[in-house]
Amino acid sequence: MEVKTVGVVGAGQMGSGIAQVAAQAGYGVVLLDVNAEALERGLGAIRRSLGKFLEKGRITEEAYEATLRGIRTALDLEALKEADLIVEAIVEDEGAKRALWERVGGLAKPEAILATNTSSIPITALARYSGRPERFIGMHFFNPVPLMPLVEVIRGELTAPATRDTVVEVARRMGKTPLEVQDYPGFVSNRLLMPMINEAIEALREGVATKEAIDGIMRLGMNHPMGPLELADFIGLDTCLAIMEVLHRGFGDDKYRPSPLLRRMVQAGLLGRKTGRGFYAYDEKGNKVG
């Protein structure tokens, strides 16, 4: 099917980024959230991101204005009725996603494709909740969405090949590189990344080295652009914990057991950049200050 309108559910960091790249690709976009303030923050993030592209000469003034005109916002799921592709980018919690997809599956038009941006939850399970598993797929973008080229494409057990083909085409039109993986916990990206982050947290807990040394070793010795502890702050420690718990449950292997320090920090509300403090401290603009 031809995709003309993309609905994005969730106006946070990921959802606003997905809305931006969809609009830049020429799709009409409906950005939806249950909170008007979240929508305004999401639009603000899009304006800032596009503004940086404009300053660097990567887009024209016309493209800047056209992208913003292509995005409309909504507070009610009914606004998704005409969307050809609906991408969910809400909290990484299976219960919340189940509740959403049970509703969206009943109101989306029959030919619509339903995609989740989950970073670890099994696609087959979420597809079942939607009631239309053949038209359901994983479309895992990476943060920051406007800059990161990868999209993991994950078919559920019953996802139709035509659904996969359409999503691959959409991702390419957005300027992304879609790579297909199988429906296993954490897929490929987080199955490899999160245990590394978790082990870095364990090394810090055990006193093997300071946070600065751990991150410095991975940057300078392994050529990583960001150390694992700073990256955890960037992702959000609550999200890291949720993914580790999915891996632990899904594989039943204690090598995926979340670090007690990670769990303690989440319990304390020290979630990283979005709360101003995680392994490091951040100012109101998200810049590291300590």
Side-chain angles (χ1 to χ4, degrees):
M1 65 170 289
E2 182 181 3
V3 173
K4 295 181 179 178
T5 302
V6 177
V8 181
V9 185
Q13 202 169 38
M14 296 302 296
S16 62
I18 295 167
Q20 176 183 328
V21 297
Q24 284 185 274
Y27 295 111
V29 175
V30 179
L31 178 60
L32 185 142
D33 203 290
V34 296
N35 187 299
E37 291 181 0
L39 282 173
E40 189 51 46
R41 286 195 299 270
L43 286 175
I46 292 170
R47 292 189 192 99
R48 288 191 298 274
S49 175
L50 290 171
K52 291 177 182 177
F53 286 164
L54 185 60
E55 289 173 10
K56 295 177 180 178
R58 295 180 59 181
I59 61 173
T60 63
E61 184 73 39
E62 292 76 15
Y64 175 93
E65 296 295 342
T67 299
L68 291 177
R69 283 197 306 271
I71 302 171
R72 64 184 179 93
T73 60
L75 293 168
D76 194 320
L77 289 175
E78 293 291 318
L80 299 173
K81 279 188 172 181
E82 297 307 312
D84 304 304
L85 169 65
I86 299 171
V87 184
E88 165 267 309
I90 66 170
V91 64
E92 188 70 357
D93 176 82
E94 186 169 344
K97 291 181 187 293
R98 175 177 183 169
L100 175 68
W101 283 119
E102 286 175 345
R103 292 185 62 194
V104 173
L107 64 84
K109 60 185 181 182
E111 66 271 26
I113 290 175
L114 311 180
T116 176
N117 183 56
T118 181
S119 51
S120 61
I121 299 170
I123 303 305
T124 300
L126 296 179
R128 186 177 74 251
Y129 304 143
S130 76
R132 45 175 91 183
E134 71 287 346
R135 304 196 70 78
F136 196 99
I137 198 164
M139 199 176 185
H140 182 205
F141 291 82
F142 290 77
N143 190 30
V145 178
L147 299 178
M148 298 293 279
L150 175 64
V151 173
E152 275 185 316
V153 176
I154 312 103
R155 289 172 62 182
E157 189 65 28
L158 299 176
T159 303
T163 299
R164 184 270 319 277
D165 293 345
T166 299
V167 162
V168 165
E169 180 184 339
V170 168
R172 286 177 177 154
R173 180 169 158 182
M174 290 178 179
K176 304 303 180 186
T177 300
L179 296 177
E180 188 172 355
V181 303
Q182 300 303 309
D183 188 16
Y184 282 85
F187 316 131
V188 170
S189 57
N190 282 315
R191 183 173 177 175
L192 301 181
L193 174 64
M194 286 301 159
M196 181 193 73
I197 288 176
N198 195 58
E199 194 63 26
I201 296 170
E202 275 292 87
L204 179 65
R205 184 179 73 89
E206 293 170 4
V208 176
T210 65
K211 61 189 179 186
E212 293 84 3
I214 292 169
D215 278 352
I217 286 166
M218 296 307 289
R219 285 197 314 271
L220 302 175
M222 311 305 169
N223 205 29
H224 290 192
M226 187 182 294
L229 300 175
E230 186 177 359
L231 180 56
D233 279 354
F234 183 72
I235 294 167
L237 301 193
D238 52 340
T239 300
C240 293
L241 177 59
I243 295 170
M244 287 305 301
E245 288 176 332
V246 167
L247 291 171
H248 195 202
R249 286 195 305 269
F251 289 112
D253 191 326
D254 273 351
K255 74 179 181 180
Y256 299 112
R257 180 181 62 85
S259 167
L261 176 57
L262 173 60
R263 194 177 298 280
R264 237 179 12 251
M265 291 183 71
V266 171
Q267 289 169 344
L270 306 176
L271 308 183
R273 283 190 183 185
K274 59 187 172 185
T275 60
R277 184 178 166 196
F279 292 105
Y280 298 92
Y282 302 87
D283 63 21
E284 63 278 359
K285 293 183 179 179
N287 299 311
K288 191 167 68 171
V289 294

